[in-house]
Amino acid sequence: MMNSWRIARGLPAICCASLVILSGAAYPQVPLSQHQPLLQPSSQAALITTPLYVLDPIETRSRFEVLFLGFMTVRGKFNRTTGTLNHDPERADAASRANDAIQATIDSTTVSANVVNSAATNKVLRSAAFFHVEKFPNIEFKSSRFVWEADKLTAIDGTLTLVGVTKPVRLLVQNSGCTAAHAAKRARCTADAYLNVKRSDFGMKAWSASVGDEIKIIVELVAYAGSGSASTDTKPDEKLDQPRTPNPPPAQPNPPAQPSEAAYPSQPRSANTEH
Protein backbone atom coordinates (compact mmCIF):
# COMPACT_ATOMS: atom_id res chain seq x y z
CA MET A 1 0.00 0.00 0.00
CA MET A 2 2.79 2.38 0.89
CA ASN A 3 4.61 1.60 -2.38
CA SER A 4 1.46 2.36 -4.42
CA TRP A 5 1.09 5.74 -2.68
CA ARG A 6 4.71 6.64 -3.45
CA ILE A 7 4.29 5.68 -7.13
CA ALA A 8 1.15 7.82 -7.44
CA ARG A 9 2.87 10.73 -5.76
CA GLY A 10 5.70 10.61 -8.30
CA LEU A 11 3.49 10.56 -11.39
CA PRO A 12 3.17 14.40 -11.74
CA ALA A 13 6.93 14.85 -11.77
CA ILE A 14 7.35 12.11 -14.39
CA CYS A 15 4.66 13.71 -16.60
CA CYS A 16 6.26 17.16 -16.37
CA ALA A 17 9.67 15.77 -17.24
CA SER A 18 8.19 13.99 -20.24
CA LEU A 19 6.53 17.18 -21.47
CA VAL A 20 9.81 19.10 -21.23
CA ILE A 21 11.67 16.42 -23.17
CA LEU A 22 8.96 16.26 -25.85
CA SER A 23 8.77 20.04 -26.25
CA GLY A 24 12.54 20.27 -26.61
CA ALA A 25 12.53 17.62 -29.30
CA ALA A 26 9.67 19.19 -31.26
CA TYR A 27 10.92 22.79 -30.98
CA PRO A 28 14.71 22.93 -30.83
CA GLN A 29 16.00 26.07 -29.17
CA VAL A 30 17.69 28.68 -31.39
CA PRO A 31 20.54 30.79 -30.02
CA LEU A 32 19.59 34.43 -29.47
CA SER A 33 22.19 35.54 -31.98
CA GLN A 34 20.30 33.70 -34.72
CA HIS A 35 16.91 35.33 -34.09
CA GLN A 36 15.81 37.61 -36.97
CA PRO A 37 14.07 40.97 -36.34
CA LEU A 38 10.41 41.15 -37.24
CA LEU A 39 11.12 44.01 -39.66
CA GLN A 40 14.22 44.46 -41.72
CA PRO A 41 15.66 48.04 -41.76
CA SER A 42 14.41 48.61 -45.31
CA SER A 43 10.89 47.56 -44.30
CA GLN A 44 10.97 49.87 -41.30
CA ALA A 45 11.94 52.82 -43.51
CA ALA A 46 9.16 51.97 -45.95
CA LEU A 47 6.59 52.10 -43.16
CA ILE A 48 7.49 55.70 -42.23
CA THR A 49 4.67 58.04 -43.19
CA THR A 50 6.01 61.36 -44.46
CA PRO A 51 3.69 64.40 -44.22
CA LEU A 52 2.42 65.80 -47.50
CA TYR A 53 2.64 69.49 -48.39
CA VAL A 54 1.06 71.06 -51.46
CA LEU A 55 2.71 73.92 -53.33
CA ASP A 56 0.59 77.04 -53.30
CA PRO A 57 0.21 78.11 -56.96
CA ILE A 58 -0.17 81.79 -56.06
CA GLU A 59 2.46 82.26 -53.34
CA THR A 60 5.04 80.06 -55.09
CA ARG A 61 6.96 82.15 -57.64
CA SER A 62 9.16 80.94 -60.48
CA ARG A 63 11.45 83.30 -62.40
CA PHE A 64 14.28 83.14 -64.94
CA GLU A 65 17.27 85.22 -65.95
CA VAL A 66 19.28 85.15 -69.19
CA LEU A 67 21.90 87.40 -70.77
CA PHE A 68 21.02 89.38 -73.89
CA LEU A 69 23.78 90.69 -76.19
CA GLY A 70 26.29 89.45 -73.64
CA PHE A 71 25.84 92.21 -71.07
CA MET A 72 22.12 92.86 -70.42
CA THR A 73 20.21 90.61 -68.01
CA VAL A 74 16.68 89.92 -69.20
CA ARG A 75 14.34 88.70 -66.47
CA GLY A 76 10.99 87.01 -66.71
CA LYS A 77 8.54 84.91 -64.73
CA PHE A 78 6.12 82.01 -64.88
CA ASN A 79 2.80 82.85 -63.31
CA ARG A 80 1.81 79.38 -62.10
CA THR A 81 3.75 76.62 -60.32
CA THR A 82 2.14 73.56 -58.73
CA GLY A 83 3.37 70.37 -57.10
CA THR A 84 3.84 68.42 -53.87
CA LEU A 85 6.45 68.11 -51.12
CA ASN A 86 6.99 65.11 -48.85
CA HIS A 87 8.91 66.14 -45.74
CA ASP A 88 8.72 65.66 -41.96
CA PRO A 89 10.18 68.73 -40.18
CA GLU A 90 9.83 66.97 -36.82
CA ARG A 91 12.35 64.25 -37.73
CA ALA A 92 16.00 64.47 -38.73
CA ASP A 93 16.95 60.79 -38.84
CA ALA A 94 18.32 59.19 -41.99
CA ALA A 95 15.30 56.93 -42.49
CA SER A 96 12.90 59.87 -42.50
CA ARG A 97 15.08 62.06 -44.71
CA ALA A 98 15.35 59.23 -47.22
CA ASN A 99 11.63 59.75 -47.87
CA ASP A 100 11.97 63.48 -48.60
CA ALA A 101 10.75 64.27 -52.11
CA ILE A 102 9.45 67.15 -54.19
CA GLN A 103 7.73 67.36 -57.55
CA ALA A 104 7.12 70.75 -59.16
CA THR A 105 5.40 71.67 -62.42
CA ILE A 106 5.87 75.11 -63.97
CA ASP A 107 3.21 76.20 -66.44
CA SER A 108 5.35 77.42 -69.34
CA THR A 109 2.32 78.89 -71.13
CA THR A 110 2.34 81.66 -68.50
CA VAL A 111 5.88 82.82 -69.32
CA SER A 112 6.24 86.59 -69.34
CA ALA A 113 9.35 88.73 -69.91
CA ASN A 114 10.03 91.87 -67.92
CA VAL A 115 10.80 94.10 -70.92
CA VAL A 116 9.27 97.15 -72.54
CA ASN A 117 7.79 95.42 -75.58
CA SER A 118 6.63 92.42 -73.55
CA ALA A 119 3.78 91.33 -75.85
CA ALA A 120 6.12 90.74 -78.81
CA THR A 121 8.82 89.18 -76.59
CA ASN A 122 6.32 86.84 -74.92
CA LYS A 123 5.16 85.66 -78.33
CA VAL A 124 8.74 84.73 -79.23
CA LEU A 125 9.37 83.03 -75.88
CA ARG A 126 6.25 80.88 -76.28
CA SER A 127 7.09 79.92 -79.86
CA ALA A 128 8.95 76.81 -81.06
CA ALA A 129 12.20 78.83 -80.96
CA PHE A 130 12.22 78.74 -77.16
CA PHE A 131 9.69 77.12 -74.78
CA HIS A 132 7.37 75.79 -77.54
CA VAL A 133 4.42 75.97 -75.13
CA GLU A 134 1.89 74.61 -77.60
CA LYS A 135 3.67 71.25 -77.63
CA PHE A 136 5.34 71.36 -74.19
CA PRO A 137 3.08 73.32 -71.79
CA ASN A 138 4.94 72.21 -68.65
CA ILE A 139 8.44 72.34 -67.19
CA GLU A 140 8.84 69.57 -64.60
CA PHE A 141 11.29 68.93 -61.77
CA LYS A 142 11.36 65.65 -59.84
CA SER A 143 13.73 65.09 -56.95
CA SER A 144 15.86 62.00 -56.36
CA ARG A 145 17.75 63.06 -53.21
CA PHE A 146 17.78 65.85 -50.65
CA VAL A 147 21.31 66.97 -49.67
CA TRP A 148 21.72 67.95 -46.01
CA GLU A 149 24.62 69.48 -44.11
CA ALA A 150 23.74 68.82 -40.47
CA ASP A 151 20.28 70.40 -40.12
CA LYS A 152 20.57 72.64 -43.21
CA LEU A 153 19.15 71.68 -46.59
CA THR A 154 21.73 72.77 -49.16
CA ALA A 155 20.66 71.12 -52.42
CA ILE A 156 18.15 68.83 -54.11
CA ASP A 157 19.26 66.44 -56.83
CA GLY A 158 16.75 65.42 -59.47
CA THR A 159 15.73 65.68 -63.09
CA LEU A 160 14.47 68.63 -65.11
CA THR A 161 12.22 68.13 -68.14
CA LEU A 162 12.29 71.13 -70.48
CA VAL A 163 10.78 71.14 -74.00
CA GLY A 164 10.45 67.36 -73.79
CA VAL A 165 14.10 66.69 -72.87
CA THR A 166 14.98 65.30 -69.41
CA LYS A 167 18.38 65.96 -67.81
CA PRO A 168 19.85 65.45 -64.32
CA VAL A 169 20.22 68.73 -62.43
CA ARG A 170 21.03 70.03 -58.95
CA LEU A 171 18.76 72.60 -57.34
CA LEU A 172 20.77 74.78 -54.93
CA VAL A 173 18.83 75.79 -51.79
CA GLN A 174 19.65 79.13 -50.18
CA ASN A 175 17.02 79.35 -47.44
CA SER A 176 14.47 76.82 -46.20
CA GLY A 177 12.33 76.11 -43.17
CA CYS A 178 8.96 74.97 -41.87
CA THR A 179 6.49 76.44 -39.39
CA ALA A 180 3.81 74.67 -37.39
CA ALA A 181 0.12 75.35 -37.79
CA HIS A 182 -1.32 78.31 -35.89
CA ALA A 183 -4.52 80.33 -35.72
CA ALA A 184 -5.49 81.17 -39.30
CA LYS A 185 -2.78 79.19 -41.12
CA ARG A 186 -1.91 75.57 -41.71
CA ALA A 187 1.61 74.23 -41.27
CA ARG A 188 3.83 75.32 -44.14
CA CYS A 189 7.34 74.98 -45.58
CA THR A 190 9.19 77.60 -47.62
CA ALA A 191 12.44 77.60 -49.59
CA ASP A 192 14.43 79.81 -51.95
CA ALA A 193 16.29 77.80 -54.57
CA TYR A 194 17.80 78.13 -58.02
CA LEU A 195 19.55 76.16 -60.75
CA ASN A 196 21.61 77.01 -63.83
CA VAL A 197 21.12 75.09 -67.06
CA LYS A 198 22.35 75.42 -70.61
CA ARG A 199 19.39 75.75 -72.91
CA SER A 200 21.35 74.13 -75.74
CA ASP A 201 21.45 70.89 -73.70
CA PHE A 202 17.67 70.77 -74.08
CA GLY A 203 17.70 71.55 -77.80
CA MET A 204 16.85 75.25 -77.33
CA LYS A 205 19.43 76.77 -79.71
CA ALA A 206 17.60 79.62 -81.46
CA TRP A 207 18.89 83.18 -81.27
CA SER A 208 22.27 81.94 -80.01
CA ALA A 209 24.04 85.05 -81.38
CA SER A 210 22.10 87.40 -79.09
CA VAL A 211 20.57 85.30 -76.28
CA GLY A 212 22.91 83.61 -73.79
CA ASP A 213 23.10 79.85 -73.50
CA GLU A 214 22.89 79.71 -69.70
CA ILE A 215 19.51 80.21 -68.04
CA LYS A 216 19.06 80.72 -64.32
CA ILE A 217 15.74 79.46 -62.94
CA ILE A 218 14.76 80.74 -59.49
CA VAL A 219 11.95 79.29 -57.40
CA GLU A 220 10.46 80.81 -54.25
CA LEU A 221 8.55 77.88 -52.86
CA VAL A 222 5.61 77.99 -50.44
CA ALA A 223 3.88 74.71 -49.55
CA TYR A 224 1.04 74.09 -47.09
CA ALA A 225 0.31 70.89 -45.20
CA GLY A 226 -2.54 68.74 -46.45
CA SER A 227 -4.47 68.83 -49.68
CA GLY A 228 -5.32 72.04 -51.49
CA SER A 229 -3.60 75.39 -51.09
CA ALA A 230 -4.00 78.26 -48.73
CA SER A 231 -4.98 80.51 -51.61
CA THR A 232 -8.12 78.45 -52.24
CA ASP A 233 -9.20 78.91 -48.62
CA THR A 234 -9.44 82.69 -48.84
CA LYS A 235 -10.94 85.19 -51.20
CA PRO A 236 -8.51 87.13 -53.42
CA ASP A 237 -9.03 90.33 -51.46
CA GLU A 238 -8.41 88.70 -48.09
CA LYS A 239 -4.98 88.76 -46.45
CA LEU A 240 -3.68 85.30 -45.62
CA ASP A 241 -2.13 86.47 -42.34
CA GLN A 242 -5.40 87.73 -40.93
CA PRO A 243 -8.29 85.66 -39.59
CA ARG A 244 -11.49 85.86 -41.49
CA THR A 245 -14.14 88.34 -40.40
CA PRO A 246 -16.86 86.52 -38.48
CA ASN A 247 -20.17 86.18 -40.23
CA PRO A 248 -22.61 88.98 -39.36
CA PRO A 249 -25.60 88.07 -37.16
CA PRO A 250 -28.77 87.13 -39.04
CA ALA A 251 -30.95 90.04 -40.00
CA GLN A 252 -33.86 90.70 -37.67
CA PRO A 253 -37.34 90.81 -39.17
CA ASN A 254 -38.59 94.31 -39.77
CA PRO A 255 -41.09 95.53 -37.13
CA PRO A 256 -44.64 96.03 -38.34
CA ALA A 257 -45.13 99.39 -39.95
CA GLN A 258 -46.89 101.92 -37.79
CA PRO A 259 -49.91 103.60 -39.40
CA SER A 260 -49.27 107.17 -40.34
CA GLU A 261 -51.37 110.05 -39.15
CA ALA A 262 -52.94 110.24 -42.61
CA ALA A 263 -54.63 106.90 -41.94
CA TYR A 264 -56.81 108.51 -39.28
CA PRO A 265 -59.25 111.30 -40.16
CA SER A 266 -58.40 114.47 -38.35
CA GLN A 267 -60.93 115.50 -35.75
CA PRO A 268 -61.55 119.18 -35.02
CA ARG A 269 -60.53 120.15 -31.57
CA SER A 270 -63.47 121.02 -29.35
CA ALA A 271 -63.55 124.52 -28.11
CA ASN A 272 -62.60 124.99 -24.53
CA THR A 273 -65.64 125.62 -22.31
CA GLU A 274 -65.64 127.05 -18.91
CA HIS A 275 -67.92 125.67 -16.30
Side-chain angles (χ1 to χ4, degrees), residues 266-270:
S266 58
Q267 300 292 332
R269 294 183 179 180
S270 58

Side-chain angles (χ1 to χ4, degrees), residues 200-220:
S200 59
D201 290 343
F202 296 86
M204 194 185 292
K205 300 178 180 180
W207 293 45
S208 57
S210 54
V211 179
D213 190 26
E214 188 171 276
I215 302 176
K216 184 177 183 179
I217 301 175
I218 307 107
V219 179
E220 300 169 9

